[in-house]
Amino acid sequence: MIDLKTILVVDDEPKTRTGLKKTLDTWALGKYEILCAASGDEAITILDERQIHVLLTDIRMPQITGLKLIRSLKEKKQKPVVIIISAYSEFEYAQEAIALGVVNYLVKPVDKQKLIEAVEQAMKVLKDREKAEMLAEMFDMQIVAMKDNVRSTPIKEALKFIHENLHEPFSLRDVSKRVHLNASYFSVLFKEETNMTFSEYVTRCRLQKAKSLLVTTDLSIEEIAEAVGYQTAKYFIKLFKEFAGVTPHRFRKHHLKKVEF
């Protein structure tokens, strides 16, 4: 079953609601699911039951206004991209909507082309947001937490060199020479300050970069292996599976599926 992105249209005027849905259904061609709600209460019920990716809501509605509906999203786990639709073009409404994170503000009667453009923009915002969230999930928290513990200048310089040269093969001895330390002492100091061996740290950094390239580029597995300093794709795939639990191909397929619209 295909996991469709869902758009929710909220408007208390039946004619407007039907017109917006018809326009969006024609545009979507089955690529997106278009739902409707006749009130803020009905919208909240839908939001409690379904994942909504884009929310189009009128500002002026009885009981729960569009702005109140948007504010209520903060109490929920969902964070749809929001477009405001209103017959009221007063600046204060637009100001408050923008402050609440609304990406577009359309004035009734809504032009069909402007509606479609607004939804396409919202989908782009959603895609960028989901990619950013995915990349944040990819950060190796062990690496992030470790950085605050590093005190000595040689290890800081070593970390800088490692991050700037992940595309090149290098050894502990190469880096120790770079920071003017004996290899044995450098190895002990590195472990003491990072709580990781030099080899483990470099591997984690290379694989973190590989994860990012798998999701954000069209590079082949072979090209990514080379870009993160591995001379053979076979060894890269073996190492990636050991650390990530899946092959690079499966990792890419799983994460790209989340942002394919």
Side-chain angles (χ1 to χ4, degrees):
M1 183 177 176
I2 299 172
D3 184 19
L4 297 178
K5 299 293 180 185
T6 304
I7 300 168
L8 175 61
V9 177
V10 189
D11 199 302
D12 60 318
E13 297 176 6
K15 187 177 178 181
T16 301
R17 196 168 61 247
T18 302
L20 292 172
K21 185 178 188 320
K22 185 178 179 182
T23 298
L24 291 175
D25 275 331
T26 302
W27 162 78
L29 295 173
K31 286 170 60 182
Y32 308 107
E33 184 178 9
I34 317 297
L35 302 179
C36 284
S39 67
D41 282 319
E42 189 180 338
I44 287 173
T45 300
I46 293 172
L47 284 159
D48 285 337
E49 296 173 352
R50 298 283 306 274
Q51 183 177 5
I52 302 301
H53 300 92
V54 175
L55 172 67
L56 291 93
T57 181
D58 187 15
I59 285 181
R60 285 289 186 92
M61 293 184 293
Q63 297 175 323
I64 297 179
T65 65
L67 293 177
K68 190 174 180 181
L69 173 61
I70 296 165
R71 289 190 208 103
S72 75
L73 294 173
K74 291 184 178 180
E75 301 165 11
K76 303 178 183 299
K77 291 182 180 179
Q78 292 205 51
K79 293 181 181 178
V81 180
V82 182
I83 300 169
I84 282 288
I85 300 174
S86 179
Y88 300 84
S89 57
E90 291 95 331
F91 186 61
E92 60 265 26
Y93 285 118
Q95 275 190 314
E96 187 172 357
I98 290 166
L100 290 170
V102 171
V103 300
N104 222 320
Y105 185 96
L106 300 175
V107 179
K108 293 180 180 178
V110 178
D111 177 81
K112 290 182 180 181
Q113 188 56 39
K114 286 184 177 178
L115 170 64
I116 291 168
E117 287 172 1
V119 174
E120 286 177 342
Q121 181 196 353
M123 284 297 178
K124 186 179 184 303
V125 169
L126 178 66
K127 190 170 185 177
D128 290 343
R129 183 190 292 175
E130 290 188 347
K131 277 192 175 182
E133 288 173 357
M134 234 182 345
L135 290 174
E137 288 174 8
M138 290 177 201
F139 277 112
D140 189 324
M141 295 314 296
Q142 206 165 332
I143 293 174
V144 175
M146 171 278 300
K147 287 182 179 179
D148 294 331
N149 298 325
V150 176
R151 299 180 301 277
S152 68
T153 300
I155 299 304
K156 287 180 180 178
E157 289 178 359
L159 298 183
K160 185 173 184 292
F161 175 84
I162 290 167
H163 283 277
E164 290 176 353
N165 293 276
L166 289 174
H167 59 290
E168 298 285 353
F170 53 77
S171 67
L172 180 148
R173 190 171 296 278
D174 294 330
V175 180
S176 67
K177 283 182 181 179
R178 188 91 183 179
V179 298
H180 311 293
L181 290 179
N182 170 274
S184 297
Y185 176 65
F186 172 73
S187 178
V188 172
L189 186 63
F190 193 95
K191 177 72 182 292
E192 187 179 289
E193 295 205 20
T194 67
N195 291 317
M196 278 182 269
T197 65
F198 175 83
S199 176
E200 182 187 356
Y201 180 79
V202 172
T203 300
R204 283 180 175 275
C205 289
R206 291 192 196 280
L207 295 183
Q208 181 171 279
K209 183 179 178 181
K211 287 178 181 179
S212 176
L213 292 173
L214 283 165
V215 175
T216 61
T217 75
D218 294 324
L219 293 173
S220 67
I221 303 300
E222 289 75 15
E223 288 171 325
I224 290 174
E226 187 177 343
V228 296
Y230 293 110
Q231 295 178 326
T232 68
K234 186 177 180 181
Y235 179 66
F236 164 67
I237 292 168
K238 177 178 178 291
L239 208 56
F240 190 98
K241 190 173 182 180
E242 283 178 12
F243 274 77
V246 293
T247 64
H249 176 74
R250 282 190 176 276
F251 180 89
R252 169 178 268 171
K253 189 175 180 181
H254 172 72
H255 284 82
L256 285 184
K257 190 176 180 182
K258 292 182 181 179
V259 290
E260 281 178 355
F261 291 10

